[in-house]
Amino acid sequence: MDIKALDTAYVAGTYKRFPVEIVSGKGSVVWDENGKEYIDLGSGIAVTSFGVADEAWQQAVVAQIGKVQHMSNLYYTEPCALLAQQLCERTGMKKVFFGNSGAEANECAIKTARKYSEDRYGAGRFTIATLKNSFHGRTITTLAATGQDHYHELFQPLTPGFIHLEAENIPALEAAAAQGNLAAVMIECVQGEGGVVPLSREYAEVVGRICRENDILLIVDEVQTGNGRSGSLYAYMEYGLKPDIVSTAKGLAGGLPLGATLFGEKTQNVLKYGDHGSTFGGNPVCCAAALSVLNRLDDALLASVREKSRYLFQTFTGAKGVQAVSGLGLMIGIKTAAPAAQVVQKCMERGVLCLTAKDRVRLLPALNIPMDTLKKAVEIILSVCAGEAD
Ligand SMILES: *Cc1c(COP(=O)(O)O)cnc(C)c1O
């Protein structure tokens, strides 16, 4: 059976896949259909927080599957309540809405911001400012939020009510706030899809202050940066921000689909009975998986993420064929002299899976990747960057 041919014949052609079928894995190592081994530095795009087929994660998932896999939000289930409690207690946020993906977590954030503003200020104050080069999802509304024109062109008309500000441009932000029609500003602390570009602390601080002073809600999109990836539980903590809404997904459940929208003091009671919902949202298996992930994101684990991050920055900075290194925690962008896609291709041939983001090679390893495995992968990437013979 030729899986690649079947997939090409029957799966909608929205993805450019590498010519590799992944059959199984363990931790940060995966195997393809020919038994070739790869070190995985992509984690399914920041999803498999503790790697592939991790024991503790598997046990949590299997235990919950053996009890009840789904009941809908018409009934209470323990994992959903415990997860919401843990998310609130560890962030200081007040309430959580569960969905299934990053785009849905952002949709919920956007709906909440609009309702908050409508409730307080009446119609017309609905604009949401996001940043140029941002990425917030693929639904028609989160595409409108996404500050990259090339995603917009084919799908007009998009949801109205979004403006895109240049990051780091404080006068532009002040001018937008002065219009009086902003309901919210939505930011990623580190633009992931946009090329692993962190916001400066100064700009983030100004965004926080302008939002606070004008009762504009601060929404932080932690879909990629969240759940330990940044070296803190959430990246906004690294920046000392106090968001009104936090959206997250990707790594939250370590490989099962789960999104969460967290509400702070001001926004906790905005969504009322009937205002929003999701059939799968808060699914007990996904929530049990997320609990097992969060339970392991303790101080020691987060310190090890920061330590591995320092190692990656130090090792790649100034290396041959490397022009710049950016990122936060285990979210690393490497600007290479050779085209990023070509570097990723060669790394794959040599048994290391990396990603790209814009013109950069992007590394999103599992948070618990063993140091020796990481070093082995880094040696290969360094040699590819340096243009050394295969
Ligand atoms: C991946 C991503 C999204 C979209 O998440 P999906 O689960 O693919 O809908 C939204 N925002 C950011 C910052 C992301 O990285």
Side-chain angles (χ1 to χ4, degrees), residues 265-319:
E265 200 80 54
K266 282 185 185 177
T267 54
Q268 59 180 318
N269 295 317
V270 171
L271 293 182
K272 298 212 165 36
Y273 168 68
D275 286 345
H276 199 43
S278 165
T279 300
F280 280 114
N283 169 277
V285 179
C286 299
C287 288
L291 274 168
S292 90
V293 168
L294 282 183
N295 283 334
R296 291 159 82 183
L297 295 177
D298 57 12
D299 290 344
L301 191 283
L302 294 171
S304 79
V305 167
R306 295 193 292 272
E307 163 118 25
K308 286 168 190 166
S309 179
R310 277 192 294 277
Y311 159 73
L312 291 170
F313 268 95
Q314 280 163 11
T315 309
F316 283 107
T317 303

Side-chain angles (χ1 to χ4, degrees), residues 104-119:
E104 283 172 291
N106 286 335
E107 286 268 350
C108 176
I110 291 162
K111 285 177 74 172
T112 304
R114 285 191 169 181
K115 183 156 188 282
Y116 175 87
S117 195
E118 167 95 29
D119 286 350

Side-chain angles (χ1 to χ4, degrees), residues 43 47-48 52 57 71 78 85 99 142 151 156 182 200 210 228 281 294 297 316 364 386:
S43 305
V47 167
T48 48
V52 174
W57 178 87
M71 273 309 288
E78 182 179 283
Q85 176 194 29
T142 56
Y151 284 115
Q156 297 292 328
L182 285 191
S200 72
I210 288 179
L294 282 183
L297 295 177
F316 283 107
L364 299 164

Side-chain angles (χ1 to χ4, degrees), residues 45 100-106 134-139 142 146 188 190-193 221-225 247 249-250 258 331 362:
I45 319 183
N100 313 287
S101 67
E104 283 172 291
N106 286 335
S134 58
F135 184 84
H136 297 295
R138 301 277 196 168
T139 63
T142 56
T146 292
E188 298 158 89
V190 183
Q191 292 184 336
E193 304 304 311
D221 178 343
E222 296 260 9
V223 172
Q224 190 160 158
T225 52
S247 57
K250 289 199 167 89
L258 181 65
M331 190 173 170
R362 174 170 46 157

Side-chain angles (χ1 to χ4, degrees), residues 117-192:
S117 195
E118 167 95 29
D119 286 350
R120 290 204 156 197
Y121 301 97
R125 187 185 179 274
F126 54 70
T127 301
I128 295 178
T130 68
L131 298 182
K132 292 197 168 140
N133 200 45
S134 58
F135 184 84
H136 297 295
R138 301 277 196 168
T139 63
I140 286 289
T141 296
T142 56
L143 269 185
T146 292
Q148 302 188 51
D149 290 342
H150 70 98
Y151 284 115
H152 294 170
E153 282 150 14
L154 303 174
F155 305 106
Q156 297 292 328
L158 300 181
T159 307
F162 291 89
I163 60 169
H164 307 112
L165 302 173
E166 194 180 36
E168 309 298 335
N169 184 334
I170 293 169
L173 175 64
E174 286 168 341
Q179 299 273 308
N181 65 352
L182 285 191
V185 175
M186 176 152 74
I187 58 169
E188 298 158 89
C189 291
V190 183
Q191 292 184 336

Side-chain angles (χ1 to χ4, degrees), residues 6 26 68 80 125 133 137 163 180 189 218 228 230 251 253 257 263 294 370 383 388:
L6 268 185
K26 198 75 206 162
V68 56
C80 175
R125 187 185 179 274
N133 200 45
I163 60 169
C189 291
L218 174 60
S230 69
F263 304 117
L294 282 183
S383 123
E388 282 158 15

